[in-house]
Amino acid sequence: MQKVVAVAAVLAVSMSCSSTDRDATPPPTTDRSGPSLVVDWSGLVPRPTRVVDGEGEFVLGEGTAIVVDADAAEPAAGLLRGYLADVIGTENDATDGPVVRFTEDGVDHSLGDEGYELEVGPDGIEVRAGHASGFAWAVQTLRQGLPPEVHSGEVADGTTVRIPAVTVHDQPRLEWRGVMLDVARNFFDVEEVERLIDVAALYKLNRFHLHLTDDQGWRIQMSGYPELTEVGAATRVGGGPGGFYTQDQYRDLVKFAADRGVVVVPEIDVPGHTQAALASVAALNCDGVEPPPVATNAVVLTSSLCVGKPEVDAFIESVFGELAELTPGAYIHLGGDESAGTPTELYPGFVAKVAATVRSHGKIPIVWEEVGGALGADSIVQSWNKPEGARAAVDAGANLIMSPAPRTYFDMKYDPSSALGATWAGTIDTRTAYEWDPLTAIPGVSPQQVIGVEAALWTGIIGSDNHIDTPEEAQQLLLPRLLAPAELGWTGSKPDGWTDFSVRVAGQAPAWAALGLSHTADPAVPWCAPPC
Ligand code: TNX
């Protein structure tokens, strides 16, 4: 089925500090009279697998149609339409003129689920992929070049965009490219989370891990236990107001992400990090009488569900069952970290039982490294601190996600002079976040068992009175550093790659400003002087 979804389009694509052609004269290949913008393909983050320059250019403007030949491309084409909304003119159903065409025809199947080809020639743009996520990433490649005016909706009428002919052939190196947001210590509303999911998608990160529960908050509505959000969502670190996602809001978040090629990975952390649950549901405590209050300080406590109690088993079945039902993605994270309050002899059996519950609902269990080899094959272990847990996990047949704190914990300060952030895992500037390789980070672990990399934004700053409670602070801690794991996961790093990478990172700043995103002016990055 062929559908024409758009219309007069002005796609403005301009990249990097060196792109200064905004005010260039109109292109010779068109008689359109408005201003023209020029695309520069050199600054993409992550760098695509292969970019081959072609001859000539495509001039995009009023009258350009977006044609969808593949059902799998509908969400991506819809997004492109949205990105261009402020510059698209009247409806155009004509397919005989210049088009941006989404098609599965002629796709190179070796590109896998996430790969795509983007071919720009004088007559139009063809986007080829075999799956929805490939189309999604192709659109983000196009979008990433949009000049600030287009992101902010400040394009003059009649603008055209000259896109140099190119063929981009692109696919990721690693299947798991994630970012975690701790919404338990500090709550972020749906709009704020969607904004961060959108940033993740812009850099082709394909997993958004929501740390939904902890000592300081329970953030997802559960119909079996309404107390969890009535009591457990009331507050946040520092004692300010809390919040939670209704099931409908959670479904919306998941859909928002899915349309962008991003899978939401929800985490309910058990048996430790559970004081918000213990405060809400008295029966989860061993004494069952006097539950502790929800924590409001940024410390890791020794809370634990009362492992072995039938009420705890019923709770696990209910909340993980409900979460699985709400979550179309393949994964559920069950935490398992820092459970100092759980009797050591009961801990491995308990996490194995929770993992069995997750599997019985058709999902793949993910755990933090403390669980080690307790779950065996068909599980994923997230390594953050000590190599022993990761080694035990791979010995037992599990796969690894690499989140080493000194490289990926973006609640750390950029440098010792940073106002915001912790230092327990050191300081992490963008270069430190870039110059390592997830595949070889743990000696003795085979690269085949490392499925990817994930950055983490914890929002209670351990060992400090300050904490992250505004969206701007979260953005400042993520940008620019988040681009490092994005590049490592998609392209990989070269030992001498920092200079090239850092220039491309610097070139993103105007887009962030236009999108209303804050960032940190990390001195490690060669920011260009405006206008750039
Ligand atoms: C460790 S990593 C934690 C979190 C803290 C974080 C602070 C992990 C599984 N647990 O509970 O918020 O450090 O950096």
Side-chain angles (χ1 to χ4, degrees), residues 33-47:
S33 56
S36 85
L37 306 170
V38 178
V39 171
D40 174 353
W41 291 112
S42 67
L44 297 168
V45 179
R47 179 179 282 303

PDB file of all heavy atoms in Angstrom, residues 33-47:
ATOM      1  N   SER A  33      12.073  31.027  -4.508  1.00  0.00           N
ATOM      2  CA  SER A  33      12.702  32.316  -4.246  1.00  0.00           C
ATOM      3  C   SER A  33      13.051  32.587  -2.785  1.00  0.00           C
ATOM      4  O   SER A  33      13.663  33.596  -2.477  1.00  0.00           O
ATOM      5  CB  SER A  33      11.788  33.420  -4.764  1.00  0.00           C
ATOM      6  OG  SER A  33      10.526  33.257  -4.146  1.00  0.00           O
ATOM      7  N   GLY A  34      12.670  31.691  -1.856  1.00  0.00           N
ATOM      8  CA  GLY A  34      12.958  31.947  -0.443  1.00  0.00           C
ATOM      9  C   GLY A  34      14.412  31.687  -0.119  1.00  0.00           C
ATOM     10  O   GLY A  34      15.213  31.330  -0.985  1.00  0.00           O
ATOM     11  N   PRO A  35      14.764  31.869   1.142  1.00  0.00           N
ATOM     12  CA  PRO A  35      16.135  31.577   1.567  1.00  0.00           C
ATOM     13  C   PRO A  35      16.438  30.091   1.454  1.00  0.00           C
ATOM     14  O   PRO A  35      15.517  29.277   1.438  1.00  0.00           O
ATOM     15  CB  PRO A  35      16.160  32.027   3.028  1.00  0.00           C
ATOM     16  CG  PRO A  35      14.745  32.177   3.445  1.00  0.00           C
ATOM     17  CD  PRO A  35      13.899  32.325   2.224  1.00  0.00           C
ATOM     18  N   SER A  36      17.696  29.734   1.374  1.00  0.00           N
ATOM     19  CA  SER A  36      18.014  28.310   1.355  1.00  0.00           C
ATOM     20  C   SER A  36      19.063  27.975   2.401  1.00  0.00           C
ATOM     21  O   SER A  36      19.883  28.801   2.777  1.00  0.00           O
ATOM     22  CB  SER A  36      18.483  27.878  -0.036  1.00  0.00           C
ATOM     23  OG  SER A  36      19.842  28.118  -0.212  1.00  0.00           O
ATOM     24  N   LEU A  37      18.955  26.784   2.874  1.00  0.00           N
ATOM     25  CA  LEU A  37      19.862  26.250   3.889  1.00  0.00           C
ATOM     26  C   LEU A  37      20.568  25.061   3.283  1.00  0.00           C
ATOM     27  O   LEU A  37      20.040  24.394   2.404  1.00  0.00           O
ATOM     28  CB  LEU A  37      19.058  25.814   5.123  1.00  0.00           C
ATOM     29  CG  LEU A  37      18.130  26.882   5.736  1.00  0.00           C
ATOM     30  CD1 LEU A  37      17.222  26.267   6.774  1.00  0.00           C
ATOM     31  CD2 LEU A  37      18.960  28.001   6.337  1.00  0.00           C
ATOM     32  N   VAL A  38      21.763  24.785   3.757  1.00  0.00           N
ATOM     33  CA  VAL A  38      22.545  23.708   3.153  1.00  0.00           C
ATOM     34  C   VAL A  38      22.896  22.655   4.199  1.00  0.00           C
ATOM     35  O   VAL A  38      23.295  22.980   5.316  1.00  0.00           O
ATOM     36  CB  VAL A  38      23.850  24.261   2.516  1.00  0.00           C
ATOM     37  CG1 VAL A  38      24.684  23.129   1.929  1.00  0.00           C
ATOM     38  CG2 VAL A  38      23.512  25.283   1.447  1.00  0.00           C
ATOM     39  N   VAL A  39      22.739  21.432   3.785  1.00  0.00           N
ATOM     40  CA  VAL A  39      23.067  20.312   4.664  1.00  0.00           C
ATOM     41  C   VAL A  39      24.563  20.023   4.623  1.00  0.00           C
ATOM     42  O   VAL A  39      25.181  20.084   3.578  1.00  0.00           O
ATOM     43  CB  VAL A  39      22.309  19.055   4.191  1.00  0.00           C
ATOM     44  CG1 VAL A  39      22.780  17.819   4.942  1.00  0.00           C
ATOM     45  CG2 VAL A  39      20.823  19.256   4.340  1.00  0.00           C
ATOM     46  N   ASP A  40      25.094  19.697   5.802  1.00  0.00           N
ATOM     47  CA  ASP A  40      26.476  19.216   5.881  1.00  0.00           C
ATOM     48  C   ASP A  40      26.415  17.890   6.629  1.00  0.00           C
ATOM     49  O   ASP A  40      25.981  17.836   7.776  1.00  0.00           O
ATOM     50  CB  ASP A  40      27.313  20.251   6.646  1.00  0.00           C
ATOM     51  CG  ASP A  40      28.731  19.783   6.908  1.00  0.00           C
ATOM     52  OD1 ASP A  40      29.036  18.601   6.619  1.00  0.00           O
ATOM     53  OD2 ASP A  40      29.528  20.592   7.413  1.00  0.00           O
ATOM     54  N   TRP A  41      26.834  16.823   5.969  1.00  0.00           N
ATOM     55  CA  TRP A  41      26.684  15.489   6.568  1.00  0.00           C
ATOM     56  C   TRP A  41      27.835  15.117   7.496  1.00  0.00           C
ATOM     57  O   TRP A  41      27.888  14.006   7.992  1.00  0.00           O
ATOM     58  CB  TRP A  41      26.597  14.428   5.464  1.00  0.00           C
ATOM     59  CG  TRP A  41      25.339  14.491   4.657  1.00  0.00           C
ATOM     60  CD1 TRP A  41      25.218  14.841   3.346  1.00  0.00           C
ATOM     61  CD2 TRP A  41      24.013  14.170   5.100  1.00  0.00           C
ATOM     62  NE1 TRP A  41      23.911  14.767   2.949  1.00  0.00           N
ATOM     63  CE2 TRP A  41      23.145  14.355   4.016  1.00  0.00           C
ATOM     64  CE3 TRP A  41      23.472  13.739   6.325  1.00  0.00           C
ATOM     65  CZ2 TRP A  41      21.776  14.134   4.090  1.00  0.00           C
ATOM     66  CZ3 TRP A  41      22.104  13.516   6.405  1.00  0.00           C
ATOM     67  CH2 TRP A  41      21.277  13.710   5.303  1.00  0.00           C
ATOM     68  N   SER A  42      28.775  16.018   7.722  1.00  0.00           N
ATOM     69  CA  SER A  42      30.012  15.575   8.381  1.00  0.00           C
ATOM     70  C   SER A  42      29.937  15.484   9.902  1.00  0.00           C
ATOM     71  O   SER A  42      30.833  14.946  10.527  1.00  0.00           O
ATOM     72  CB  SER A  42      31.161  16.531   7.999  1.00  0.00           C
ATOM     73  OG  SER A  42      30.919  17.803   8.568  1.00  0.00           O
ATOM     74  N   GLY A  43      28.880  16.002  10.517  1.00  0.00           N
ATOM     75  CA  GLY A  43      28.907  16.097  11.978  1.00  0.00           C
ATOM     76  C   GLY A  43      28.015  15.139  12.732  1.00  0.00           C
ATOM     77  O   GLY A  43      27.732  15.354  13.908  1.00  0.00           O
ATOM     78  N   LEU A  44      27.570  14.058  12.080  1.00  0.00           N
ATOM     79  CA  LEU A  44      26.597  13.176  12.729  1.00  0.00           C
ATOM     80  C   LEU A  44      27.171  12.467  13.957  1.00  0.00           C
ATOM     81  O   LEU A  44      28.322  12.041  13.981  1.00  0.00           O
ATOM     82  CB  LEU A  44      26.113  12.112  11.728  1.00  0.00           C
ATOM     83  CG  LEU A  44      25.360  12.644  10.502  1.00  0.00           C
ATOM     84  CD1 LEU A  44      25.204  11.539   9.467  1.00  0.00           C
ATOM     85  CD2 LEU A  44      23.995  13.208  10.900  1.00  0.00           C
ATOM     86  N   VAL A  45      26.323  12.363  14.983  1.00  0.00           N
ATOM     87  CA  VAL A  45      26.650  11.576  16.188  1.00  0.00           C
ATOM     88  C   VAL A  45      25.486  10.613  16.435  1.00  0.00           C
ATOM     89  O   VAL A  45      24.358  11.071  16.570  1.00  0.00           O
ATOM     90  CB  VAL A  45      26.803  12.476  17.433  1.00  0.00           C
ATOM     91  CG1 VAL A  45      27.127  11.625  18.659  1.00  0.00           C
ATOM     92  CG2 VAL A  45      27.869  13.546  17.229  1.00  0.00           C
ATOM     93  N   PRO A  46      25.708   9.320  16.504  1.00  0.00           N
ATOM     94  CA  PRO A  46      26.983   8.651  16.242  1.00  0.00           C
ATOM     95  C   PRO A  46      27.342   8.674  14.760  1.00  0.00           C
ATOM     96  O   PRO A  46      26.477   8.795  13.911  1.00  0.00           O
ATOM     97  CB  PRO A  46      26.705   7.211  16.706  1.00  0.00           C
ATOM     98  CG  PRO A  46      25.224   7.035  16.602  1.00  0.00           C
ATOM     99  CD  PRO A  46      24.630   8.377  16.880  1.00  0.00           C
ATOM    100  N   ARG A  47      28.643   8.540  14.521  1.00  0.00           N
ATOM    101  CA  ARG A  47      29.106   8.519  13.135  1.00  0.00           C
ATOM    102  C   ARG A  47      28.559   7.275  12.444  1.00  0.00           C
ATOM    103  O   ARG A  47      28.678   6.171  12.963  1.00  0.00           O
ATOM    104  CB  ARG A  47      30.634   8.492  13.093  1.00  0.00           C
ATOM    105  CG  ARG A  47      31.177   8.451  11.681  1.00  0.00           C
ATOM    106  CD  ARG A  47      32.695   8.449  11.606  1.00  0.00           C
ATOM    107  NE  ARG A  47      33.311   9.753  11.815  1.00  0.00           N
ATOM    108  CZ  ARG A  47      33.053  10.855  11.099  1.00  0.00           C
ATOM    109  NH1 ARG A  47      32.163  10.836  10.129  1.00  0.00           N
ATOM    110  NH2 ARG A  47      33.676  11.967  11.351  1.00  0.00           N
TER     111      ARG A  47
END
